[in-house]
Amino acid sequence: MPSAHSSGDSRAPGTERDGGTWVVIPLFNESSVIAGVIEGLLEVVEHVVCVDDGSTDGSAEIAEAAGARVVRHPYNLGQGAALQTGIGYAREQPGAEFIVTFDADGQHRVVDALAMVALAREEDAAIVFGSRFLDDRTRPGLLKKAVLKTAVWVTNLTTGLTLTDAHNGLRVIRIDAARAVNLKQDRMAHATEIVLQLGRTGLPYREFPVEVLYTEYSRAKGQSLLNSINILVDLVIN
């Protein structure tokens, strides 16, 4: 599968890495791809922190060897808990300006993350949400698309925001906005919860068109279908 390293076209030769941006990656059993994801990111940013959520396949050690800072959960607490740990860690770091939330499985593109940070700086936006539905590059499949569109409708109804993609893990959050994030939902419902908390800040937000890479690796793990089911369950019970 293409790694984040190869999917970026990240920066021109000689360009300095961004020292004010911290990339937060929830990590659970992604030993075969996490090194490539981290290496691609470290070409353009100075700081990557992985929150290892009880992995049993050596993911934490691989992430550390690839150059990331690693914060460990002693056992699996869920993606929402890992995200909260990572955001809480990054927002306390000296000089931190922006936090980028980024998936561990290689589905996000480094070039999109960079462009979103640039947009936040240029337009003084506190939050930039990645959206796979602002253009037609991403093809998630009919079931996942239907579930994600339902999630958008529910999220917009409950948060008062107007988004086209509510459950995209690629986000840019300025530090003042990040201080408002206090996730209690450990699993998939955190994606709606974080939008609600960020919306309540009243700070300016934007959406940015991104391409999500549904790779052979992620499809083989069944993530697309499983995440669709998890989103539906969490929307019903929360």
Side-chain angles (χ1 to χ4, degrees), residues 25-43:
I25 303 178
L27 177 61
F28 179 65
N29 288 346
E30 301 283 2
S31 61
S32 64
V33 294
I34 189 58
V37 171
I38 293 166
E39 288 163 6
L41 287 163
L42 286 175
E43 289 186 352

Side-chain angles (χ1 to χ4, degrees), residues 3-12 23 37 40-45 100 102 106-119 128 137 170 172 208-213:
S3 70
H5 187 96
S6 63
S7 65
D9 299 325
S10 306
R11 64 185 176 111
V23 179
V37 171
L41 287 163
L42 286 175
E43 289 186 352
V44 297
V45 300
V100 176
F102 203 90
Q107 291 190 350
H108 291 157
R109 303 198 313 151
V110 176
V111 67
D112 288 336
L114 271 186
M116 290 166 67
V117 172
L119 177 65
V128 181
R137 289 175 296 164
L170 182 54
V172 171
F208 185 86
V210 303
E211 182 181 8
V212 176
L213 305 172

